[in-house]
Amino acid sequence: MRYLPLTDTDRQDMLSVIGASSIDDLFVDVPVEARLTGTIPGLPPHASELAVERHMGALARKNLSAGEAPFFLGAGAYRHHVPASVDHLIQRGEFLTAYTPYQPEIAQGTLQVLFEFQTQVARLLGCDVANASMYDGSTACWEAIGMARRITKRGKAILSSGLHPHYVSVANTMAKFTGDALVHEAPTLDAATDIDALIAAIDKDTSCVVVQYPDILGRIADLTPLADAAHAAGALLVAVVTEPVALGAVKAPGHMGADIVVGEGQSIGVGLQFGGPYLGLFAAKQKYVRQMPGRLCGETVDAAGKRGFVLTLSTREQHIRREKATSNICTNSGLCALAFSIHMTLLGEKGLRELATLNHGLAVQAADRLARVPGVTLLNDSFFNEFTLILTRDAREVVRTLADKGILAGVSLGRLFPDASAIGHGLVVAVTETVTAEDIETLAAALEEELA
Amino acid sequence: MTMLKEGRPTAPQAVDTIAIAPTATGNRALMLEEALIFEIGSTDTTGVDFAEAPRVASRLGSLARTDAIGLPGLSEQETVRHYTRLSRQNYAIDLGLFPLGSCTMKHNPRLNEKVARMPGFADIHPLQPQSTVQGALAVIHELAAWLVTLTGMHSVAMSPKAGAHGELCGLLAIRAALEARGDARSVILVPESAHGTNPATAAFCGYKVEDIPATPDGRVDLEALKARLGPDVAAVMITNPNTCGLFERDMKVISDAVHAAGAFVYCDGANFNAIVGRVRPGDLGVDAMHINLHKTFSTPHGGGGPGSGPVVLSEALTPFAPLPFVEKQDDKFVLVEEETAEDHHAQTFGRMVAFHGQMGMFTRALTYILSHGADGLRQVASDAVLNANYILRSLDDVLDAPFGQSGPCMHEALFSDKGLADGFTTLDIAKGLIDEGFHPMTMYFPLVVHGAMLVEPTETESKAALDQFILALRSLAQRAKAGDEALKGAPYHAPRRRLDETLAARKPVLSWTDPALSVAAE
């Protein structure tokens, strides 16, 4: 029990100050029948640091980590190299073990980081303002739909067929309870995006159109006509970015007319982590700032006139507005936002553009090479670092077989869309700077063998 | 030695009367002022080297980003300095006692960090084939088993990303269960002392929220609650131990009454820390309860998050749990991502997040749990409650303790501003604590107490640390009672003096703008 500093002598001394004869006396308000007298059966006692590390290490080694295999998975989570100084800095105890900055005089470190993070995110997404982060991209996406409902006073959201199916699932779950109507079609293996269909679907009841960019199949399209059509009908355009590195190479959604841009910030600084914790990005036009969910950090001055930062606009929040709050979000992803911000500072605009160019170049090489494999067709000619291959048979089996050979080949569309059998031959392949030319050759050779 | 009530309070201190020589830089020796990255970085600077990109024709179509993005870069050394300097303007549990009531700031063992960074956990993708992530699924399964056993519940939904998200999960399960039996109910009852997230969550699930008053001794008014129960009530959201720091003695009676009325009991488990290993919420009739892994099982909060809020569920709610979930089938772990007609989760309310929850928090929490074991976790609750009562009894002669006679407090001690000199408030005590080298306690919460000060020491504080804190708080209480005007200006020694929060809200400045550009725009 190495984390508990009290000695038995301390405990006795403290009990005498309290005027209690035993610890049990402090639990007198618990009904007798609910008090546990001994340790709970079936659970082991405390273990040494060495024993725990061995146990957890054994479990870790049962997983095939991305660094051990040719690795091509994306679909909402991306593997990028994170510079060593990022992890070093987030492990400084003053960042790692701080709490929400409720006492700004002694939390300026966290607050300044959040202010810088908000500015970086707003600029990256092409918006006026960003918040201090949300849980992840999928929940941020749902919150954007809720925000559009509050702004437009309409309750019908149109979701692009290219939106990540898990994001659609989260929205569906919430809509069942809030009464929003969601319009969504599963994608088909079509090289063109569904922009025209989305425009055709907008009507006077539409609160927002939600479109992913690049989308789940890796396709990219100009969002400007969609934004114009939405605005003409009094609706908002919500854009979802799951791979923010792309925005070092392609136009920002905010610059194409999106009113709210949300995203998954995991790919900058955070790491794969089997799905969490991740980092929800949330940005919008200035005029909607008071409808934004989540925490905001703002600049102000202290009593001596020095610049400082505080959490602000909390009148939108749950602890003041209770049932009238703009969201029930309490926690943000502070440490992940810190990692994102440090990584982005190391990159700078120059580094981000270089990283994006490198990702795109390798992806183009990989797409061309893989498209030459017999039985493989490249679906989309236009993409950033992720594209869809159409195989001659169900990609789920191919992915499983290749995993048995130590190759993590990509994400089969059949796993993402179990109800849409027509799409099962699709394989979404992501290529980042961590992929080597040898990895690409290994995958091509394995696919060739598998599809022969 | 014991800390006696008379203690050794420090004399009221005058503000430094000796003029402090200014510095040209604004720096003060080890405490360095730090500009924003937008002021010190440049868009031509980078701290990262990349391999040369292949020379290929672009496939970006007409969408290439040609505008300036406006992202400054720093070299690696400048980056390390920038963030190291900023870090030194933060208070943190690694620096000292962090007695924020209801937030449970305890020691963060570094073994947890080491384990979470093992490549087998940190560098795996959520959509890898299940055959390649058996160890990760085993972690989720093993942690789930601990949570179910410690709470005496039937199952646990692991995916909620934070405590408030867990509340949402619990209420969605309740709503789904009610709808499944064709029983549309519209009201959630929330006691006055509930966390602010509770009513917000209920409203987000489409419910009306009604308050239930507290008794003079700081607990739920049982008679008022019973009187309000009826066929329109879906659930009662109750916090136990409650936010007054007290155990709800009538919890079982409340649960029985709620169940008899056809409703469910949601327990806010933020304070599970106080009872782990000593009481199982399942034995008290709870139907759903979130567990803030970052609080009870020590995952670092990193300046605001991430959190993690698994929700334990009763048998009645289990079929409605969210996807995905992990099951053991023979010798394999299986991640169930879609509902299938034959499984016992066929009535799931759906998916709450894109992937499987906060895996990085699961590895940390499981590491912490295994380190403590069942015996250590029981000692956690014992020491957390002992430390809180020690603080309560060491200060109740100088600070008003509104429920000091309502029974032992649990893991947090509640004081109020009653008895301070006119014009002196809880805020002054809090800011004075900063100068004394402590993070302040939670202020003005719970709302049922005027000028509340909620102090939670946690179990990882030594007696010496508590004694030092008590000494500081005694001194501040005496200064505030004596009307020491200097206290109203505190803090004097922090990186910043009191900050103008009204200005920040009235004229929100939420991102940095180049002053040259803002001048040009005017």
Side-chain angles (χ1 to χ4, degrees):
Chain A
M1 296 185 211
R2 54 196 174 277
Y3 307 138
L4 302 176
L6 296 184
T7 65
D8 283 339
T9 309
D10 291 333
R11 292 184 180 111
Q12 282 311 317
D13 284 353
M14 292 162 73
L15 283 169
S16 69
V17 169
I18 294 165
S21 60
S22 73
I23 297 275
D24 288 346
D25 285 358
L26 302 178
F27 287 85
V28 289
D29 286 330
V30 178
V32 176
E33 64 274 18
R35 284 183 217 164
L36 299 171
T37 48
T39 53
I40 299 175
L43 299 175
H46 66 279
S48 70
E49 179 158 334
L50 177 62
V52 175
E53 191 176 332
R54 270 189 190 142
H55 176 79
M56 297 301 289
L59 290 175
R61 284 190 297 277
K62 288 184 177 170
N63 303 317
L64 178 62
S65 67
E68 298 173 311
F71 178 88
F72 297 90
L73 279 79
Y78 300 87
R79 182 166 192 258
H80 290 286
H81 172 73
V82 179
S85 48
V86 175
D87 193 45
H88 169 80
L89 288 166
I90 71 166
Q91 287 205 70
R92 280 190 65 88
E94 305 94 324
F95 282 133
L96 184 76
T97 74
Y99 195 68
T100 305
Y102 290 139
Q103 297 287 344
E105 297 89 350
I106 47 172
Q108 285 298 303
T110 289
L111 285 161
Q112 183 169 332
V113 167
L114 292 180
F115 186 79
E116 292 175 346
F117 169 81
Q118 288 174 182
T119 309
Q120 287 172 321
V121 171
R123 291 178 176 195
L124 185 68
L125 303 182
C127 293
D128 302 320
V129 285
N131 73 10
S133 82
M134 318 277 286
Y135 303 141
D136 74 347
S138 66
T139 49
C141 177
W142 164 253
E143 291 280 355
I145 294 170
M147 180 167 149
R149 168 167 27 93
R150 291 194 298 278
I151 291 169
T152 63
K153 310 277 194 286
R154 301 172 179 181
K156 184 169 120 186
I158 300 170
L159 313 185
S160 157
S161 67
L163 179 60
H164 196 297
H166 290 177
Y167 289 34
V168 174
S169 295
V170 172
N172 270 323
T173 295
M174 291 306 302
K176 272 189 283 188
F177 298 95
T178 58
D180 288 75
L182 302 183
V183 179
H184 174 255
E185 306 280 336
T188 53
L189 286 177
D190 191 335
T193 57
D194 59 354
I195 300 286
D196 293 341
L198 289 171
I199 289 173
I202 298 170
D203 61 20
K204 62 179 174 34
D205 301 322
T206 305
S207 63
C208 61
V209 181
V210 184
V211 61
Q212 185 175 319
Y213 171 90
D215 78 3
I216 188 67
L217 303 181
R219 301 171 297 185
I220 45 178
D222 188 351
L223 304 181
T224 312
L226 185 57
D228 291 344
H231 296 155
L236 303 187
L237 177 63
V238 175
V240 179
V241 177
T242 63
E243 170 50 299
V245 172
L247 300 183
V250 296
K251 283 181 186 168
H255 295 159
M256 293 187 281
D259 301 277
I260 305 171
V261 184
V262 297
E264 175 51 71
Q266 168 275 331
S267 85
I268 297 178
V270 178
L272 291 171
Q273 306 195 89
F274 201 45
Y278 281 4
L279 172 66
L281 309 178
F282 200 113
K285 290 179 175 167
Q286 179 74 37
K287 61 180 170 182
Y288 300 131
V289 67
R290 286 176 198 272
Q291 288 297 332
M292 273 175 71
R295 289 184 182 141
L296 290 167
C297 171
E299 183 182 326
T300 188
V301 292
D302 77 352
K306 283 186 175 173
R307 175 171 70 187
F309 302 93
V310 293
L311 292 182
T312 193
L313 299 185
S314 59
T315 46
R316 310 161 301 120
E317 286 182 33
Q318 31 79 19
H319 60 272
I320 293 177
R321 294 271 287 170
R322 290 168 70 92
E323 67 270 21
K324 292 191 176 65
T326 49
S327 86
N328 84 314
I329 284 200
C330 188
T331 314
N332 65 339
S333 290
L335 198 67
C336 301
L338 173 68
F340 178 102
S341 200
I342 297 171
H343 192 180
M344 190 60 91
T345 298
L346 279 165
L347 289 167
E349 184 151 342
K350 182 171 187 284
L352 179 68
R353 286 186 186 277
E354 286 173 2
L355 176 62
T357 305
L358 178 56
N359 270 247
H360 184 57
L362 288 168
V364 168
Q365 284 188 329
D368 287 345
R369 172 67 187 91
L370 295 169
R372 291 204 305 273
V373 172
V376 172
T377 309
L378 176 62
L379 172 79
N380 40 323
D381 188 49
S382 176
F383 55 86
F384 169 62
N385 69 352
E386 191 169 23
F387 48 82
T388 298
L389 301 177
I390 305 171
L391 311 183
T392 47
R393 59 189 179 87
D394 196 312
R396 269 175 289 198
E397 300 159 30
V398 176
V399 165
R400 280 194 288 260
T401 309
L402 264 55
D404 291 341
K405 296 177 179 175
I407 300 167
L408 295 168
V411 177
S412 62
L413 285 173
R415 177 166 181 184
L416 288 174
F417 298 92
D419 297 332
S421 56
I423 208 169
H425 289 206
L427 177 68
V428 178
V429 173
V431 178
T432 71
E433 75 285 358
T434 62
V435 169
T436 65
E438 294 74 36
D439 292 338
I440 295 168
E441 279 309 314
T442 305
L443 175 60
L447 274 178
E448 188 158 348
E449 186 183 319
E450 191 59 30
L451 296 174
Chain B
M1 106 177 197
T2 56
M3 180 72 198
L4 298 176
K5 280 209 165 165
E6 50 271 29
R8 289 185 300 143
T10 53
Q13 289 175 344
V15 190
D16 268 349
T17 48
I18 304 166
I20 300 170
T23 57
T25 54
N27 296 336
R28 284 167 292 163
L30 290 173
M31 188 51 73
L32 306 170
E33 291 294 316
E34 184 63 8
L36 295 164
I37 51 172
F38 305 96
E39 296 161 335
I40 53 180
S42 96
T43 52
D44 299 329
T45 304
T46 181
V48 181
D49 285 328
F50 290 109
E52 196 177 339
R55 292 169 195 277
V56 294
S58 163
R59 302 282 179 87
L60 301 174
S62 59
L63 292 171
R65 188 168 192 167
T66 51
D67 60 310
I69 307 174
L71 294 168
L74 298 176
S75 68
E76 179 168 310
Q77 191 201 39
E78 289 171 303
T79 301
V80 170
R81 281 191 181 155
H82 178 68
Y83 290 98
T84 302
R85 288 174 174 185
L86 286 182
S87 75
R88 287 155 48 86
Q89 297 180 27
N90 267 4
Y91 194 92
I93 191 70
D94 279 4
L95 288 167
L97 202 148
F98 210 127
L100 268 175
S102 207
C103 297
T104 312
M105 289 294 284
K106 61 174 69 172
H107 173 55
N108 292 140
R110 291 311 192 272
L111 175 64
N112 303 356
E113 297 303 306
K114 186 176 183 182
V115 167
R117 285 172 173 78
M118 290 174 172
F121 296 134
D123 197 21
I124 53 173
H125 192 284
L127 298 171
Q128 278 184 220
Q130 295 189 17
S131 62
T132 65
V133 290
Q134 285 294 301
L137 298 178
V139 166
I140 298 176
H141 196 264
E142 189 172 342
L143 177 59
W146 274 90
L147 298 180
V148 164
T149 306
L150 288 170
T151 55
M153 300 287 282
H154 192 261
S155 66
V156 57
M158 296 297 286
S159 63
K161 294 232 157 199
H165 205 222
E167 292 172 19
L168 200 57
C169 173
L171 287 199
L172 291 178
I174 287 168
R175 184 152 180 168
L178 288 168
E179 286 178 1
R181 72 182 193 211
D183 189 0
R185 292 173 177 236
S186 57
V187 174
I188 301 271
L189 303 181
V190 182
E192 279 180 337
S193 61
H195 287 138
T197 47
N198 289 179
T201 302
F204 266 73
C205 293
Y207 285 108
K208 280 185 294 199
V209 179
E210 288 183 27
D211 289 347
I212 295 294
T215 57
D217 86 336
R219 294 185 169 91
V220 176
D221 186 330
L222 180 61
E223 294 315 311
L225 176 70
K226 279 184 174 169
R228 181 57 192 86
L229 287 171
D232 60 337
V233 173
V236 177
M237 292 184 91
I238 195 163
T239 303
N240 194 18
N242 71 21
T243 50
C244 296
L246 301 171
F247 194 85
E248 294 286 356
R249 291 178 191 132
D250 298 326
M251 189 69 198
K252 188 73 175 70
V253 183
I254 291 172
S255 298
D256 290 345
V258 170
H259 291 152
F264 290 95
V265 178
Y266 186 88
C267 183
D268 185 319
N271 298 336
F272 187 52
N273 193 40
I275 58 170
V276 59
R278 287 192 155 266
V279 186
R280 284 182 299 219
D283 295 340
L284 298 170
V286 168
D287 290 292
M289 181 181 92
H290 70 267
I291 299 169
N292 303 68
L293 291 184
H294 49 290
K295 297 185 184 188
T296 301
F297 301 118
S298 175
T299 65
H301 213 51
S308 180
V311 177
V312 286
L313 297 167
S314 63
E315 191 167 5
L317 293 182
T318 294
F320 307 96
L323 296 168
F325 50 89
V326 175
E327 280 184 355
K328 192 168 189 187
Q329 295 176 1
D330 302 321
D331 58 343
K332 279 207 178 82
F333 294 97
V334 177
L335 182 71
V336 181
E337 292 184 284
E338 51 184 301
E339 53 201 290
T340 52
E342 67 272 16
D343 76 54
H344 53 277
H345 292 263
Q347 292 170 284
T348 175
F349 69 70
R351 181 183 279 274
M352 291 195 79
V353 292
F355 301 116
H356 330 310
Q358 306 285 63
M359 185 64 194
M361 301 292 113
F362 299 161
T363 47
R364 289 173 174 90
L366 181 58
T367 300
Y368 190 76
I369 283 174
L370 293 172
S371 299
H372 273 295
D375 52 339
L377 290 174
R378 182 178 165 84
Q379 193 67 51
V380 160
S382 303
D383 286 356
V385 172
L386 178 65
N387 281 356
N389 278 283
Y390 181 63
I391 284 178
L392 182 68
R393 291 303 161 213
S394 298
L395 288 165
D396 65 1
D397 61 326
V398 289
L399 276 174
D400 175 58
F403 304 119
Q405 304 309 313
S406 299
C409 65
M410 298 306 284
H411 63 315
E412 46 199 4
L414 181 60
F415 301 101
S416 86
D417 62 355
K418 195 171 154 190
L420 304 184
D422 274 355
F424 284 81
T425 65
T426 290
L427 185 73
D428 300 318
I429 301 269
K431 299 304 182 189
L433 266 173
I434 291 176
D435 278 340
E436 297 288 351
F438 292 99
H439 194 284
M441 63 282 160
T442 292
M443 309 182 295
Y444 303 108
F445 181 82
L447 303 175
V448 286
V449 170
H450 187 273
M453 303 178 210
L454 190 61
V455 178
E456 179 178 0
T458 83
E459 69 280 1
T460 59
E461 295 303 331
S462 68
K463 180 168 176 297
L466 298 180
D467 286 342
Q468 203 183 22
F469 177 74
I470 289 164
L471 181 68
L473 206 44
R474 289 190 72 80
S475 162
L476 290 165
Q478 286 165 344
R479 288 173 63 190
K481 285 180 155 181
D484 175 1
E485 287 292 322
L487 191 56
K488 289 188 176 174
Y492 296 96
H493 305 297
R496 285 292 178 274
R497 301 288 301 277
R498 289 192 197 186
L499 287 139
D500 189 343
E501 302 194 26
T502 310
L503 174 69
R506 209 175 57 231
K507 292 184 178 173
V509 177
L510 306 174
S511 64
W512 188 81
T513 317
D514 187 337
L517 293 180
S518 33
V519 169
E522 279 168 7

